[in-house]
Amino acid sequence: MRDAAPTTIYLKDYTPFGFTVDDVHLTFDLSPNATRVTSRITFSPNPDAADHTFFLHGEELKLIRASIDGQPVLPNVTDKGLTCDVPNAPFVWEAEVEVDPAGNTALEGLYMSNGMYCTQCEAEGFRKITYYPDRPDVMSTFTVRINGTEKVMLSNGNPTDQGDGFAEWHDPWPKPAYLFALVAGDLINHPDRFTTKSGKDVELNIWVRPGDEGKCAFGMEALKKSMTWDEDVYGREYDLDVFNIVAVDDFNMGAMENKGLNIFNSSCVLASPETSTDDNFERIEAIIAHEYFHNWTGNRITCRDWFQLCLKEGLTVFRDAQFTADMRSEPVKRIRDVIDLRGRQFPEDNGPLSHPVRPESFVEINNFYTATVYEKGAELIGMLKTLVGDEAYAKALDLYFDRHDGDAATIEDWLQVFADATGRDLSQFKRWYSQAGTPRVAVSEDYSEGTYTLTLKQSTPATPGQDTKQPQVIPVAVGLLGPNGDEVAETRILELTEAEQTFTFDGLAAKPTPSILRGFSAPVILEHDTSSAQRAFLLSHDTDPFNRWDAGRSLARETLLTMITDGAAPSGAYLDGVQAVLRDDTLDPAYRALMLGLPGQSELAAALHDGGTTPDPQAIWSATETLRQAQAQHMQDLLPRLHGEAQVSAPYLPDADQSGRRALGSATLSLITRLDGGALAAAEYAKADNMTLQLSALGCLIRAGKGEAELQAFYDQWKDDRLVIDKWFGLQVSLADPEHTATVAQTLTQHADFNWKNPNRFRAVFGALAMNHAGFHHASGTAYELLAEWLIQLDPVNPQTTARMCSAFQTWRRYDEGRQTLIGAQLDRIAATPQLSRDVTEMITRIRGA
Ligand code: 0A1
Ligand code: ZN
């Protein structure tokens, strides 16, 4: 519920807590509406702190009793926590509180999902479980006893005892409260074991609801691969006797790295070929790795305060990306990550929600689990590695683990490790953590008498609260190609540190074609006025797979933009260039499938806006359709062959090879559908024996305006599988044509299976609505209205998920006055809702303030 005056928390105000916690004992007496939590905590005055006020966070708790050193006390309790007079010496605090897990729909703290107890404590959920200094720099060992009738009762660390109606756990590793977890329910496990490099035997379990046990094998393999990889690549071993993963249906995010007891949104762990797509498999593998990698980057070394969130998240995303690149294909992973960065992080960084990778203030920390903190945060690690080199990176990481194991660390600590390991001054690099906005790098070139000169100019637009920006260190990877396509200068890292800088390359017999920002070496927007002939040249010759793909991408962007603004016809250079790449069967099918992709419609809207044109979503949609149709016609002779080559006859495996072929099969089927009206797609749908093929054929049919029967058949086949039904909901909205998108979404909300309190189901419909660019931005404004109405309905139930979905409106200032008025009205309507949560209030205020 809304605070009287929501307070803003500032990084600059950090002070340590007045007490240290020596150990924590918790006893849970489980009961759906009245769980008792008894805590026994040893506190000592913190010699490093100036303020010794004894304040414990606590929200939505019923305090039954409290005592200090065995003597009852009456603390001063507010809706935020309590204060109490305490001795100026170590003491034992005991409290008993009552909580209502079954009534907890916000899914933060202790709650119930399908009759199972579970917890979510990051960032500040522990305060809804008991009174505690709920801040990441307060670390302690935890001993937990769970009294209940559930078959399985889990907490962090190692099991120490269990019997009829109880289970005890002890976690020997000091941890902040946000890593606490408890799960209790009638669960089934998929067990396995792992022996670490040093010979420690670890029990592994994936716990699921009965009926889901057949969907655990892939996740378990991913876990074992992650454990091996972290030993091989980072020298990090697992440090407990047990590693438990639990799948939960009601979860606000993807998964959570609680020490020894990871809790996963079931969509991010359960997998089978019949019910999961190749993309699901890849994502599950990556998320399992991500949560596992947190054991070192996040848990053993945690964050001093929530402003340092990128310390664990940027690094862990970077590590999981390295893992996926190693398990699958490096260029394909990089391209997919950049598509995602441009699609999600760039709009955030270039709009009203823009914030630094390390924010300096927040109202609600849950609103800062963003693409900027995670994905741009990971890009910063990648740049650091590029700048110092692989060997120095490895050395710095070893030093980081040695020096900070057991610490709650900061970005300053992190950068100091690099400075000490490499002797480099990283003060300018640090600006990447404090300056928001996507830097633009403008390129100009010159060639005379064997010398090629590249001039790079950087600038970063103003962002909320930051009008002027200082130059950042930008590693720009550049290679040069000669006129015949040979590489005449290998990749070199240019370090752009000034606002404008010139770099020269000597000894060139002819004017080269530059390949700039290879591997996407920095999260910037490159502004380079090149001819389409030059881009086409790079598309056919670049030796850097990322830039080769990006040349195709920028050709596509350019042709779409001129189609939109000048009514031009699709560019032959683009159509021919892509076709030539597609013909090259020495190239990985996954890579070729990516070549067939087009820039997203929202990305085109951003490019138009950047160039001074107000984007018309309908015109963008039409141009995209026209280009797709042109592509299909242009490649009509090649498509059947490509589609045939992409077929997989071997038994289904979700590996890089097979999924790459299926991706090409799906991309070509979608183009073929534009030529045959859906005949091939219908045939493929009928014989599909895995979800990837089934969904791709169904998608083609829906896009072709057919597939009604298949959609019904799909529902009938999968109505008992909630994760597949999420796809069924999402697909219809994301593929609806712009005229009908809002109606399709509205109709689906009336469906008996639309359980709007389940975040996955809510997101299936409304996430898809927000992503359907032309449908969401239909001039009538009905989609805006529908979304606002449902956000208002969801907010009192689940503010966190509501707040995340508000970002659908973040780009509103790009559009014409009519749309801005319509969106503005919906933002006002949300803002005017009585009792609006702090989460949503902050989001709407920031978005509206643009
Ligand atoms: N730390 C998790 C993400 C996460 C964050 C917040 C949550 O609840 C508010 C839940 C999960 C990760 O990075 O995977
Ligand atoms: Zn994470």
Side-chain angles (χ1 to χ4, degrees), residues 191-516:
D192 208 327
R193 305 200 80 80
F194 183 85
T195 307
T196 68
K197 261 214 166 117
S198 64
K200 187 180 174 66
D201 186 33
V202 184
E203 180 189 318
L204 311 175
N205 292 300
I206 298 182
W207 299 92
V208 296
R209 282 169 59 192
D212 288 338
E213 57 275 24
K215 291 181 173 183
C216 301
F218 178 81
M220 184 58 83
E221 288 312 306
L223 174 60
K224 290 189 287 179
K225 282 191 209 166
S226 308
M227 295 177 86
T228 303
W229 187 90
D230 214 17
E231 291 182 347
D232 291 347
V233 180
Y234 280 82
R236 299 293 117 200
E237 283 192 25
Y238 188 60
D239 53 5
L240 289 167
D241 304 337
V242 196
F243 189 82
N244 283 313
I245 287 179
V246 180
V248 177
D249 286 343
D250 298 282
F251 201 74
N252 282 332
M253 308 277 273
M256 180 60 212
E257 70 264 22
N258 316 299
K259 183 79 187 191
L261 177 52
N262 286 188
I263 297 182
F264 275 63
N265 185 321
S266 47
S267 71
C268 297
V269 56
L270 301 180
S272 77
E274 300 72 36
T275 59
S276 314
T277 63
D278 291 328
D279 285 350
N280 294 152
F281 278 102
E282 180 171 334
R283 181 152 184 268
I284 287 167
E285 184 178 82
I287 296 181
I288 292 211
H290 179 97
E291 306 310 329
Y292 176 73
F293 297 158
H294 267 315
N295 191 52
W296 275 94
T297 50
N299 301 3
R300 287 288 284 261
I301 305 178
T302 193
C303 303
R304 187 192 70 175
D305 54 68
W306 290 119
F307 296 103
Q308 321 295 330
L309 184 57
C310 63
L311 178 74
K312 71 177 178 85
E313 296 305 346
L315 178 54
T316 306
V317 171
F318 180 72
R319 275 152 49 69
D320 83 54
Q322 286 182 300
F323 168 79
T324 299
D326 283 356
M327 296 297 123
R328 293 163 180 265
S329 145
E330 188 176 340
V332 168
K333 172 64 177 164
R334 189 66 187 137
I335 293 166
R336 289 174 143 226
D337 280 353
V338 174
I339 292 173
D340 179 65
L341 193 79
R342 287 176 175 158
R344 293 191 308 117
Q345 200 274 328
F346 281 19
E348 183 171 277
D349 220 357
N350 290 280
L353 297 178
S354 180
H355 56 276
V357 171
R358 181 170 72 172
E360 267 141 39
S361 69
F362 62 75
V363 172
E364 172 52 64
I365 184 57
N366 286 332
N367 289 335
F368 286 83
Y369 286 78
T370 59
T372 298
V373 170
Y374 275 66
E375 276 75 30
K376 189 176 178 184
E379 292 298 314
L380 305 201
I381 313 289
M383 283 193 289
L384 204 47
K385 183 163 179 281
T386 302
L387 289 168
V388 302
D390 294 353
E391 237 174 84
Y393 174 81
K395 207 170 116 196
L397 266 286
D398 285 343
L399 183 59
Y400 179 62
F401 293 121
D402 278 355
R403 187 183 282 175
H404 291 294
D405 187 10
D407 287 354
T410 61
I411 288 303
E412 281 73 17
D413 294 329
W414 164 254
L415 290 175
Q416 192 58 49
V417 158
F418 275 79
D420 291 348
T422 66
R424 248 184 114 102
D425 175 1
L426 291 166
S427 45
Q428 191 186 10
F429 186 81
K430 198 176 170 194
R431 287 179 189 155
W432 277 107
Y433 286 95
S434 58
Q435 288 192 162
T438 309
R440 280 27 181 197
V441 175
V443 180
S444 54
E445 28 179 349
D446 191 36
Y447 173 80
S448 97
E449 294 171 17
T451 298
Y452 174 74
T453 310
L454 204 53
T455 301
L456 303 179
K457 236 191 215 179
Q458 62 166 303
S459 64
T460 303
T463 52
Q466 292 185 345
D467 292 341
T468 56
K469 315 274 175 172
Q470 303 292 312
Q472 294 175 190
V473 195
I474 305 181
V476 183
V478 174
L480 302 178
L481 303 181
N484 64 358
D486 288 348
E487 187 155 278
V488 292
E490 279 182 11
T491 306
R492 181 175 136 192
I493 307 297
L494 310 181
E495 285 186 28
L496 176 61
T497 57
E498 312 287 327
E500 180 173 345
Q501 226 168 315
T502 295
F503 302 88
T504 55
F505 299 76
D506 295 320
L508 297 164
K511 181 173 194 277
T513 300
S515 162
I516 306 175

Side-chain angles (χ1 to χ4, degrees), residues 3 6 29 76 86 102 115 135 165 176 211 270-271 332 427 456 460 499 542 574 597 602 608 704 727 815 820 837:
D3 296 320
D29 291 289
N76 182 15
V86 298
R135 36 186 292 166
L270 301 180
V332 168
S427 45
L456 303 179
T460 303
D542 205 329
Y574 169 70
S602 174
L608 287 165
K727 299 183 200 306
Y815 300 96
Q820 287 194 36
S837 68

